[in-house]
Each structure stands twice: as C-alpha cells, then as structure tokens.
Amino acid sequence: MSVAYDEAKRVVRAFRKPAFYEVATRCNLFCEGCYYFSDNFTPTKEVQDLAAWERFFAAEGERGVTMAYFVGAEPALEQDRLHAASQYFPHGNIGTNGTVRIDPAIPYRIGVSVWGVDAEVDVSLRGGRTFGKAIRNYAGDPRAIILYTLTRSNLGDTRKLAEICRDNDLPLTFNMYSPTQTYLRKLQEGEGNDRSFFRISNAESNLCWDDESLGEVRSMIPRLMEEYPETIVYSEAYNDWATRSGPLYDIDPETGVARDCHSRMVGQMRYFRADMEPGDEKCGTSDAVCSECRMYSGGWSSKFEPRDEDLRDAAAFSAWLGMIATLGRIFLIESPAPAPAFAVNRPDLASSAPRPTA
C-alpha cells in the first residue's frame, strides 16, 4: 500500500499547476457532435509569430506550469508551436485525431482519438476515413495512447480495436462521448442534418447515453481488460463510476455547471486561446453539458483527491490508488530532456484543409 501511495503522490504532483493551450483553430475532420466547433464559435485571431509563442511559453514555464494540455481543433496542424512549448514544461499532453504524425522530437504524451474501426462507422462519425492513418502514424510510438471515444453506435468495434492495438504496440484507453450544448439543442429542436458536425444524428438515433447502453459499457470493459491486460490502460473502479446512471457531478441548479469537476477553470487551472489571451471557458471543453458529461479529461482530473466514497474502507482506498496509477499511465510519459525548439516549415501542414465552420 505504501508503494502505491507514493506513486499516487508522484502522479498528482505532476498536475499541481495545469494549463490548457489552444494552439490551433482549424481541423481537417468533421466529427459528429464536435467538442470544439459550437454554435457560438468565434474564430480567434491566432498569433502567427513563432518567436511570440516561444516568449509566451517561456513565461508560462516561469509561472511554474507543470502540465500543459495542447488542445484546439487539431494541434498536429501547428507543430512549430508544439516545438516552441517543448522546452518549457516538464509534462505535456497533446490531443490529436491521428491523421498527421507529430514530430518524434516533441516529448509529450499523445492521445490519439479514435471513433471507429469499421470504415462505415469511422466515416459516419468523423466525416472521413481516419482509423488506418492513425494506426500507421503511431504504431509503436512510446508517446502515443489510443483514446477510443465510445458512443452508442461504435461499441461493436471495441474488441477489434483492442486486438489491433495489441498487434501494433499501442496502449488503449477510453473516453465516453459527452454531448455539447450545440448538439443537444439540434436534437431537441429537430434540426435537419448538415454536411459538417450534425450529419447523421436525430432525436431517435444519436450518440447520447441511456441506462441500457451505460450498462453495456459497464459490463463490456472489464471483460476486455481481462482479455487484453497488456494493452488496455483503464480501471474497473473508474469504469463503474463513469457508467453510473444520472449526472456524475454536483450540478448547480441555477447555472447547470458542475461544482466539483476538476476540469473547471478555477484555482490553478488556466485556459489560453490561440491569441495567447486567457479564455473565459468554464472548463477544458466549454460547450459540454455538465449534467451529461462523462468525458475522460474531466472525469480523471476529478479523481485527484479522494472523495468520501474512496475512504470508506481499505478496499475503496486501494481502488482509488489504482485509479491514480492508471491516470498517470494515461496522461504521462517519462520525458527525456527537451530538445531545443526550432521553427518548423511544413508546407504539407500549411496546405491542410481549411478550418471548417460550425
């Protein structure tokens, strides 16, 4: 127990001063129910000067940021900014759709988002075939972990994905799709489908969870963990919590905002937009509906401190320690000394598809 407790303290220390950095406002995909492009999306006037990004990240490093989350539409389209950051933060986590390989010199954890294995499922949920590219780009990459966003429509792909990850030396973990305010409004108002982020959903068939589908995930994940113990990085205790019925958080009845989610921009947490100005986002995914949110980022960050239920007995506390160890494996890698930053001139990135409009 003492070894597990020491490991938990080590993991939690890595996140003692986190910040989100939006490094890209364009993307090359059209994911159904997109987390980023919302109804009220207003393009940020991005800072283009690489030297300004270096100065900004240097100041953030001096401020003592220990964990940098690189987000946006698609951070892999702005790799010069990732290079600029890499010399200033001890830990980093990059969220990417996997279609563009991130330079091996960038020493941070890479969460490669996957939404489906079957070509039809992949295309329907993301607007294009992405799965094969993601596997080819990151097979055997020690920085990468496959982040499978579970939805009601892709649960049948999960076992096949675990097998493919095993065969390509890629760890696998899970996210649960969480609807945004934009997505729920379109469902509730019966809005017609479009050609971008609301192509296939309707009131009868959509990505939102119900008790039956939550139960399916709750029973499926432990079986897969037994079958692929060296591949799947997850926790049965966390899975039980994330698939429980009803809201996972204490919701303020007046604002609808979660009062106890640790992905909130309160305390030490900060969110900076691509103009380098601090944003007023409520959390790292500001359009998400708190009462429906099961997103892995908010869920795992809310486990940093044990709650009453985690302290009721030795077994519960041991389960909490196991969750923190798993959290570390998902979000952290042991980084070598950062390489010097340098400007990246990548015409292939500059010519990527323009940022889609919501």
Side-chain angles (χ1 to χ4, degrees), residues 4-227:
Y5 184 63
D6 288 343
E7 173 63 9
K9 289 193 295 183
R10 185 190 73 83
V11 169
V12 171
R13 278 197 297 269
F15 296 85
R16 64 186 178 275
K17 183 173 279 190
F20 282 74
Y21 301 104
E22 182 182 280
V23 295
T25 59
R26 61 194 177 108
C27 190
N28 55 354
L29 295 183
F30 296 87
C31 298
E32 186 78 358
C34 178
Y35 292 151
Y36 184 76
F37 294 109
S38 60
D39 272 351
N40 60 358
F41 177 78
T42 301
T44 298
K45 186 175 177 58
E46 291 187 27
V47 173
Q48 299 296 330
D49 180 15
L50 182 58
W53 281 100
E54 288 210 28
R55 292 192 297 270
F56 170 68
F57 288 133
E60 284 294 280
E62 187 68 22
R63 188 169 68 85
V65 171
T66 57
M67 167 55 78
Y69 296 97
F70 300 101
V71 298
E74 178 44 61
L77 300 181
E78 301 293 352
Q79 294 194 34
D80 54 349
R81 298 169 192 177
L82 299 177
H83 275 288
S86 66
Q87 58 187 325
Y88 299 112
F89 305 114
H91 303 286
N93 193 283
I94 305 167
T96 179
N97 61 38
T99 58
V100 176
R101 187 165 190 244
I102 292 173
D103 192 318
I106 296 172
Y108 293 140
R109 181 54 121 182
I110 300 174
V112 182
S113 174
V114 168
W115 284 48
V117 177
D118 176 81
E120 184 177 346
V121 174
D122 190 21
V123 171
S124 68
L125 291 175
R126 310 209 76 173
R129 292 192 178 188
T130 65
F131 175 69
K133 292 179 184 177
I135 297 299
R136 288 192 298 272
N137 283 336
Y138 289 100
D141 190 325
R143 302 170 301 167
I145 184 168
I146 298 298
L147 175 64
Y148 192 44
T149 296
L150 298 165
T151 73
R152 287 165 58 185
S153 63
N154 68 6
L155 299 183
D157 281 2
T158 313
R159 177 171 277 99
K160 180 64 174 177
L161 175 59
E163 180 181 323
I164 292 171
C165 287
R166 178 199 63 196
D167 294 345
N168 286 275
D169 194 20
L170 283 165
L172 167 65
T173 194
F174 303 103
N175 181 37
M176 297 186 69
Y177 179 76
S178 301
T180 63
Q181 297 177 56
T182 298
Y183 185 73
L184 285 187
R185 181 194 61 74
K186 291 180 177 182
L187 291 178
Q188 291 163 358
E189 295 180 3
E191 188 165 318
N193 294 127
D194 53 38
R195 299 182 65 184
S196 53
F197 308 109
F198 194 69
R199 300 179 309 281
I200 62 174
S201 298
N202 55 58
E204 290 72 38
S205 177
N206 54 68
L207 308 183
C208 298
W209 299 100
D210 55 21
D211 286 347
E212 181 180 356
S213 53
L214 288 173
E216 188 174 351
V217 175
R218 190 180 309 116
S219 61
M220 175 185 69
I221 296 299
R223 294 196 302 269
L224 289 175
M225 291 176 66
E226 287 186 9
E227 291 181 45

